[in-house]
Structures are given as C-alpha cells and as structure tokens.
C-alpha cells in the first residue's frame, strides 16, 4: 500500500460513535460524521434519512483538499475550519490531523454553537485517532486478508 | 490508503483513473456506473464544467462483494486531464491504492500521453509513492479509431514496468471491466502482503 492503512477495531469504532453522539447532542446538530482526509467515511451519527453519506464524505475531503491547496498558495499551512451556510441547512468542517469532523446542522442550532462544541471535542478525537493509527501500525497485526486466495479475489468478479 | 473497519466489516480502497485530457477517464467510470446493479453502487458524482469537462474529479463507490466476511468497496476517482488543472490532479492522488493510466491510442495524442505519464510519476513522488511499487494498469483506449497506432508501439513508449495492459473502447465498454479487475486484483493482493 502507498501509505499506512487504518485498521479500526470494534471497540474504537463504538468509542468514536459515542463521541460523535455527544457532539451531536451538545451542538443540536442534524448529523455528525468523521471522514478521512482521503474521502473515506469513518463513522457517522444522526438523522441520516436518505442522505448519501459516502458522496458527502468524498466531497468534503475534496473541499478540504482544494481549500488546503489555496491556503498553501497564499502562505498558510491549511485552513483548519470551513463553514458553508445555506438557507436551511449548513455544514461546518473541522480539520483534525488526518481526519475531518463534519457537522450538518439546521436552524435548531447556530454556527457559533457548532464551532464551539466542535473545537471542544477536537482534542479528544485527535487523541483517539492517534491511538487508532498507532494500533494500525503494530507489526504482526493479523488482518483478515493475509490468507486470501486468488480464487477468492477472482470470485469478486464472477458477476462480470 | 486502505481503510479497514472491523465494526461494519468493510474494507475501502481508492483507485484513480489518470491520463491526458479527453482520453476517456470519465467514460470508463460512466460505463461502470451504467453497467452495475443499483445495489452495488452509490451515486456517480461529476464535478465538471458546463461543457462536461472534468473540473475537479468524478467519483463513484462500487461494492464488489464479500471476502472473508468483509465487504470490499472500491472508491473510483478520475482526475481532470487538462494540463492547467495540475493542482487539482495532485490532490486527488492522495491516499491512492491503485492507478489506471488511460492512454489515448490516437497518434496525435502520443505526446499528451507521454507528458501525462511523467506528470503522474512526478505527482506520486510528491506523496513519496512510487509507481513501480503501486498497483497499476495501462489501458490503451480508443482502439476503434482509424488513427489509433499499433498497440505494440504504445506499449513500448508508455509501459513502465510489468503492469497489465488492456486494450479498450471505453465508449462501448470493451476492456473497461477487464481494466478495473486488473487493478482491483493487484490492490487486494497487496493487502494480502501487508
């Protein structure tokens, strides 16, 4: 692989989900998600409805990458937060190391409250994610794919 | 960068389609999208100009099936091919697990192919990725056009290592899934090694 893979254990996943649930409650948000900077959704909590969270994650990462590129052009390292305010729904994105905290909110909340609560929780998320990265890099970790066979890989394409 | 989630039993990998402007990167994704069952795919997102040229990227998630109890999901991206979108192109390569280089077989696009492949290697290097070690497929697209030069000539000019070479006509789907399969297989084989 090009970079270290992230391996998310079940306990860590539930730990992160609990943090997201708390943030959602404290900020009266519609939805809170944690997304990898490469566009992979890590965890999401809230009113999902028929929202396409996979696309949302990918576009959020693209958004942060594009504004990060602009930041570098003007001599900034990155823009740590981004906010997009719509007529009814708004999005606030917070860059926390290699992950993005995404909060979708409506008129039940306000940008000020979302910013405040996101900031308060970002240290906790940064610490948890640093531990997850450390766990992912442990040598000898047993992955489910270490014994995958060529036949199993081929079977994925059998529908074609 | 592969993301393995034990809680949702999912594995997500990122594949990027690279190549010069108008070589058929978006057409590859469009064909995959049109030919895949609804339950196996998400939306096809195209950030394009009003004239349908890719502005930032196209994106579609594709679920291939289950291996060892894990859902394998591939996130397919294209880059904008036009030379002046260099900054965006570089951003999309971040965290890539596998690359498809879509070459335009027309004689008049040979220089553009060569320039684009050098640009790919250079952009990968900025992330400390090495094309020689990355899952990689060379697709020779537009094989149906009268101005297409012989595949052997393209291969001798564009092949970088022992990567699989797939002849394609993306507009009709010829070679599109063979290409995807060739790169996805390498990505999964890499996982076995890691």
């Amino acid at each position: 692989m090009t970079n270290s893979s992230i391996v998310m254990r079940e306990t860590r996943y539930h730990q992160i989900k609990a943090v997201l649930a708390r943030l959602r409650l404290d900020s009266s948000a519609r939805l809170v998600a944690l997304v990898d900077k490469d566009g992979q959704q890590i965890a999401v909590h809230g009113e999902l409805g028929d929202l396409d969270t996979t696309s949302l994650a990918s576009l959020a990462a693209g958004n942060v990458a594009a504004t990060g590129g602009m930041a570098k052009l003007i001599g900034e390292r990155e823009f740590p937060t981004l906010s997009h305010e719509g007529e009814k729904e708004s999005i606030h994105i917070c860059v926390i190391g290699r992950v993005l905290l995404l909060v979708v909110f409506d008129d039940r909340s306000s940008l000020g409250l979302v910013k405040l609560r996101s900031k308060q929780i970002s240290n906790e998320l940064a610490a948890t994610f640093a531990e997850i990265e450390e766990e992912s890099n442990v040598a000898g970790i047993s992955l489910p794919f270490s014994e995958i066979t060529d036949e199993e890989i081929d079977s994925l394409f059998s529908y074609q | 960068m592969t993301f393995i989630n034990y809680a949702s039993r999912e594995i997500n990998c990122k594949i990027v389609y690279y190549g010069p402007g108008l070589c058929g990167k978006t057409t590859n994704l469009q064909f995959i999208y049109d030919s895949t069952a609804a339950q196996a795919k998400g939306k096809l997102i195209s950030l394009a100009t009003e004239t349908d040229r890719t502005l930032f990227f196209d994106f579609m998630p594709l679920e291939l099936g289950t291996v060892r109890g894990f859902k394998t999901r591939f996130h397919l991206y294209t880059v904008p091919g036009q030379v002046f979108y260099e900054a965006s192109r570089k951003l999309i390569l971040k965290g890539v697990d596998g690359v498809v280089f879509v070459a335009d077989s027309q004689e008049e696009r040979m220089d553009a192919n060569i320039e684009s492949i050098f640009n790919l290697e250079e952009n990968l290097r900025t992330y400390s990725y090495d094309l020689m070690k990355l899952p990689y497929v060379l697709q020779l697209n537009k094989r149906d056009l009268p101005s297409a030069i012989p595949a052997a000539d393209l291969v001798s000019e564009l092949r970088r290592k022992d990567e699989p070479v797939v002849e394609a006509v993306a507009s009709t789907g010829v070679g599109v899934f063979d290409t995807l399969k060739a790169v996805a297989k390498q990505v999964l084989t890499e996982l076995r090694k890691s």
Side-chain angles (χ1 to χ4, degrees), chain B residues 127-173:
Chain B
Y127 295 115
S128 306
Y129 304 159
D130 182 359
L131 184 65
M132 295 302 154
K133 293 178 186 159
L134 197 67
Y136 177 64
V137 174
L138 172 62
Q139 182 190 74
L140 310 179
N141 194 23
K142 307 192 184 183
R143 297 306 302 155
D144 58 329
L145 295 184
S147 57
I149 59 176
D153 294 353
L154 284 162
V155 167
S156 74
E157 197 67 59
L158 302 175
R159 202 177 195 193
R160 281 291 178 274
K161 47 179 182 177
D162 58 348
E163 75 268 24
V165 179
V166 181
E167 294 192 35
V169 183
S171 56
T172 58

Side-chain angles (χ1 to χ4, degrees), chain B residues 23-52:
Chain B
C23 67
K25 300 175 289 293
T26 302
T27 312
N28 264 271
L29 247 63
Q30 189 69 52
F31 186 83
I32 294 167
Y33 183 79
D34 292 342
S35 328
T36 308
Q39 66 270 20
K41 66 185 176 191
K43 279 192 191 124
L44 173 62
I45 302 276
S46 272
L47 303 181
T49 66
E50 283 178 3
T51 51
D52 273 345

